[in-house]
């Protein structure tokens, strides 16, 4: 190893060793260390409310009386798009998502990941989720970053027919 790298590692180890275990829990990985240093937000203590986006893809999440309302819209073109509304509950970094899928007997329920300022849908979804989409469009594997944490901004997200996706 190069001497400069060894010196930096020694200094980092020395800084960590000067704090007692009661003051600071030892991080279990790079992500835990980044959360502890304040470099990235802690998903466990961050509210999920907001508007999330990537290019033309959008997800809104707003509080409701019992959980949160969630809406999604993906618009590739006039024939390939997805849109839907539903409910989401949270258990730590896991989001339990249930979209209203009226044309499906099995419904659209899945668990997504919440990463502080990012939401990631799984790559494989139940068949009922495809009823939210037209043609070859899909919400599978959707990964979006938070655009805003404003309830009022998130509540204004509309689907292709003008319906409020996170409305009552």
């Amino acid at each position: 190893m190069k001497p400069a790298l060894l010196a930096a590692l020694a200094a980092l180890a020395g800084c960590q060793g000067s704090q007692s275990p009661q003051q600071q829990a030892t991080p279990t990985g790079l992500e835990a260390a980044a959360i502890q240093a304040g470099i990235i937000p802690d998903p466990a203590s961050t509210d999920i409310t907001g508007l999330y986006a990537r290019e033309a893809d959008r997800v809104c999440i707003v509080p409701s009386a019992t959980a949160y309302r969630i809406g999604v819209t993906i618009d590739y073109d006039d024939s390939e798009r997805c849109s839907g509304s539903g409910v989401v509950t949270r258990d730590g970094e896991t989001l339990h998502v249930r979209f209203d899928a009226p044309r499906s007997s099995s419904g659209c329920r899945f668990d997504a990941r919440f990463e502080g300022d990012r939401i990631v849908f799984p790559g494989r979804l139940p068949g009922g989720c495809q009823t939210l989409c037209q043609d070859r469009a899909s919400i599978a594997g959707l990964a979006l970053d938070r655009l805003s944490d404003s309830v009022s901004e998130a509540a204004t997200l509309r689907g292709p027919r003008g319906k409020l996706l996170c409305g009552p």
Side-chain angles (χ1 to χ4, degrees), residues 40-167:
I40 61 173
D42 182 359
S45 64
T46 304
D47 186 24
I48 62 174
T49 299
L51 182 62
Y52 298 81
R54 183 192 68 194
E55 298 177 10
D57 306 338
R58 300 280 188 271
V59 166
C60 58
I61 299 178
V62 298
S64 69
T66 58
Y68 290 87
R69 296 282 306 152
I70 185 170
V72 62
T73 182
I74 297 171
D75 193 2
Y76 298 114
D77 59 36
D78 288 340
S79 65
E80 293 184 326
R81 62 176 148 210
C82 303
S83 180
S85 297
V87 177
V88 61
T89 58
R90 179 179 179 184
D91 183 14
E93 294 181 22
T94 302
L95 300 178
H96 304 290
V97 179
R98 180 181 50 88
F99 281 110
D100 304 328
R103 297 181 317 222
S104 167
S105 59
S106 61
C108 179
R109 294 173 184 243
F110 59 89
D111 288 343
R113 276 191 341 265
F114 177 64
E115 301 174 348
D117 276 333
R118 183 173 171 83
I119 293 177
V120 180
F121 287 11
R124 288 186 177 209
L125 295 174
C129 295
Q130 195 55 39
T131 63
L132 302 174
C133 301
Q134 296 175 354
D135 205 11
R136 294 178 293 162
S138 174
I139 62 170
L142 192 60
L144 305 127
D145 296 312
R146 189 187 310 255
L147 189 62
S148 169
D149 61 1
S150 166
V151 173
S152 59
E153 260 187 280
T156 63
L157 183 65
R158 293 183 182 271
R161 294 192 177 126
K163 177 186 172 202
L164 288 171
L165 295 176
C166 282

Side-chain angles (χ1 to χ4, degrees), residues 1-10:
M1 290 187 138
K2 295 183 179 185
L5 181 58
L6 286 174
L9 288 173

